[in-house]
Amino acid sequence: MPLAVMRRAVRETVSGLPREFWWLWTSTLINRLGAFVATFMALYLTLDRGYSASYAGLVASLHGLGGVVSSLGAGVMTDRLGRRPTLLIAQTSTAASVALLGFMHDPVSIAAVAFLVGMASNASRPAVQAMMADIVRPEDRVRAFSLNYWAINLGFAVSSMAAGFIAEFSYLAGFLIEAGMTLVCALVVFAKLPESRPVRTAKETADEAGLGTVLRDRRFMSVVGLSFLVSLVFQQGSVGLPVAMGEAGFTPADYGLAIAGNGVLIVALQIPVTRFIQHRDPRRLLVVSSLLAGYGFGLTAFAGSVGVFALTVCVWTLAEIVNAPTQTGLVILLSPTHGRGRYQGMYTMSWSLAALIAPLMSGIVIDRLGAEWLWGLCAVVGTAAGLGYGMLMSRLPAEEPAAQVPAAEPPVVKVSVAKAPVAKGAVEVSVEAPAVKGGPAAEEILLEAGAAAGPPAQEMPPTPAGPTAVTGPPPAAKSRAGTV
């Protein structure tokens, strides 16, 4: 691809987004660049502290449970307190709890603080997504969510590589650096991001969407359920795949080589793929990405070399690139403006719950049935999710195009003389035209013709254009663009 074409593509991808979005994007990137603890936590507990693998798994589960618990609470805070206060509380709490975790030595204390870290770190997600929906135009949201997802993966790729070097020097340094970078995120939010929550009217305040409203929204809860199924599949890349490769005789380095394609492809393809999908039907994108994820993992059952494992990673990574921004955009579409926090909290909970259940599910299936059954189950779950999206999205209203104004037929001009005493020469002209959807069937205007009163009211065809000047605006056809 020529360099000029690439530059134009990048410019078109990043242009038109508000300044507030880029500050929020910068905060996300900084946060992920400092995400060291999640990468080396298991090694820290087993190698540095000497705890068992079972205890490390328990701590990881408690961390995930904290995320599940905080998702709904953070969603309520996002709607009631605002996006900005929720972000500041979540980020400062994350910084404090991560730093505290580095100084914990007792197993009970480590487990308890890990739970707090999970709660605090996950609490910012509903606020980030709600703020992004507030400040970005609807037609640009898929592009904005894609760029944000790209920043998450770029930051995580860098932090994963840096975590190994930092761990060799000092695990405590990793905890403190992450805490410091999270504080930098809070400072960016405090200094550069104003509150974006839309102003509520009295009626909107009275009709505020509570958690009960979210749970009763069958269409949205169906999306949450399907999101849970898809995330169960994607989680196997970090929990089921390393275990299965280990049992097949591959080394951790082999797994690292195979999974590296995930981060590389997301960083390389997220922006060009976004240009391809941003104006396409989200119904088809979600169906195709669900099937691609399921069968991408299903193909792992036939992998016998690192190259084939890497190829399967590339297949389901393409599904991840398409699914993540499209799914988030759908959640925003289904969320009421003043309930975005709660709706985003429920959606975030589906991923947190999958992160909690996926390790248990993969371990049980691999131990009792074998890895091939796990990959076959992924294909089944992906197919079920794809069928579910197909049935659900067929009932969603399609976006209506702008109303088309039909070709105007020759109007009938009705001229009538005002019978009441009016200013000299006042003539009432009524122009009747075919009805236009969204506009009036006819418009009446009063023109000053500058002539004496004429004969009684009569109908006549329009006169051809001539030198006679008529003052006043012409009758304008009105149309209204349809919205979803």
Side-chain angles (χ1 to χ4, degrees), residues 138-227:
E139 61 268 25
D140 292 331
R141 283 175 184 160
V142 170
R143 181 160 57 102
F145 289 131
S146 294
L147 289 170
N148 191 65
Y149 192 68
W150 182 80
I152 290 172
N153 284 277
L154 176 62
F156 186 74
V158 174
S159 66
S160 297
M161 291 186 291
F165 296 102
I166 293 174
E168 289 184 1
F169 171 72
S170 169
Y171 282 104
L172 179 60
F175 286 100
L176 297 179
I177 292 174
E178 178 168 344
M181 296 190 74
T182 307
L183 278 180
V184 172
C185 296
L187 290 175
V188 170
V189 172
F190 180 79
K192 296 297 184 179
L193 287 175
E195 177 55 55
S196 66
R197 183 179 59 175
V199 179
R200 305 185 186 190
T201 64
K203 183 178 183 302
E204 289 170 336
T205 302
D207 297 338
E208 182 180 24
L211 288 177
T213 304
V214 180
L215 293 172
R216 289 191 295 271
D217 190 336
R218 295 181 180 178
R219 183 170 59 186
F220 177 77
M221 291 306 297
S222 298
V223 171
V224 171
L226 294 172
S227 169

Side-chain angles (χ1 to χ4, degrees), residues 353-369:
L353 192 60
L356 180 64
I357 294 177
L360 302 175
M361 182 188 79
S362 61
I364 292 174
V365 173
I366 291 176
D367 287 342
R368 296 186 178 183
L369 301 174

Side-chain angles (χ1 to χ4, degrees), residues 97-418:
S97 57
V98 167
L100 180 62
L101 183 60
F103 293 98
M104 294 295 102
H105 300 283
D106 179 72
V108 176
S109 301
I110 292 175
V113 177
F115 176 79
L116 295 178
V117 171
M119 286 186 64
S121 60
N122 204 57
S124 63
R125 294 182 182 179
V128 168
Q129 293 169 345
M131 178 176 279
M132 202 170 295
D134 294 338
I135 62 181
V136 176
R137 296 178 302 177
E139 61 268 25
D140 292 331
R141 283 175 184 160
V142 170
R143 181 160 57 102
F145 289 131
S146 294
L147 289 170
N148 191 65
Y149 192 68
W150 182 80
I152 290 172
N153 284 277
L154 176 62
F156 186 74
V158 174
S159 66
S160 297
M161 291 186 291
F165 296 102
I166 293 174
E168 289 184 1
F169 171 72
S170 169
Y171 282 104
L172 179 60
F175 286 100
L176 297 179
I177 292 174
E178 178 168 344
M181 296 190 74
T182 307
L183 278 180
V184 172
C185 296
L187 290 175
V188 170
V189 172
F190 180 79
K192 296 297 184 179
L193 287 175
E195 177 55 55
S196 66
R197 183 179 59 175
V199 179
R200 305 185 186 190
T201 64
K203 183 178 183 302
E204 289 170 336
T205 302
D207 297 338
E208 182 180 24
L211 288 177
T213 304
V214 180
L215 293 172
R216 289 191 295 271
D217 190 336
R218 295 181 180 178
R219 183 170 59 186
F220 177 77
M221 291 306 297
S222 298
V223 171
V224 171
L226 294 172
S227 169
F228 171 74
L229 293 180
V230 173
S231 59
L232 269 181
V233 175
F234 282 128
Q235 289 290 334
Q236 299 309 320
S238 58
V239 294
L241 185 59
V243 174
M245 289 185 69
E247 289 197 348
F250 294 94
T251 66
D254 293 331
Y255 168 73
L257 184 61
I259 201 64
N262 177 256
V264 171
L265 280 181
I266 290 176
V267 172
L269 298 182
Q270 186 70 65
I271 291 178
V273 169
T274 297
R275 287 172 51 80
F276 177 76
I277 70 172
Q278 63 180 339
H279 297 303
R280 299 190 180 270
D281 188 356
R283 313 170 191 216
R284 295 181 180 178
L285 294 176
L286 289 172
V287 171
V288 171
S289 63
S290 299
L291 295 175
L292 200 59
Y295 288 102
F297 277 99
L299 289 173
T300 311
F302 304 99
S305 65
V306 175
V308 178
F309 277 113
L311 181 62
T312 64
V313 169
C314 292
V315 173
W316 56 258
T317 297
L318 289 175
E320 185 180 358
I321 291 172
V322 173
N323 182 273
T326 308
Q327 179 92 320
T328 309
L330 174 63
V331 171
I332 292 296
L333 178 65
L334 298 178
S335 306
T337 301
H338 297 287
R340 281 175 179 159
R342 290 174 172 84
Y343 275 71
Q344 288 291 342
M346 185 65 71
Y347 168 65
T348 302
M349 190 188 71
S350 69
W351 283 83
S352 300
L353 192 60
L356 180 64
I357 294 177
L360 302 175
M361 182 188 79
S362 61
I364 292 174
V365 173
I366 291 176
D367 287 342
R368 296 186 178 183
L369 301 174
E372 293 79 6
W373 282 86
L374 176 64
W375 309 130
L377 182 61
C378 286
V380 171
V381 173
T383 302
L387 293 175
Y389 277 121
M391 292 186 292
L392 174 68
M393 301 296 281
S394 65
R395 298 195 297 270
L396 291 181
E399 185 176 358
E400 298 177 6
Q404 299 294 323
V405 180
E409 298 177 0
V412 177
V413 181
K414 182 188 295 181
V415 180
S416 60
V417 180

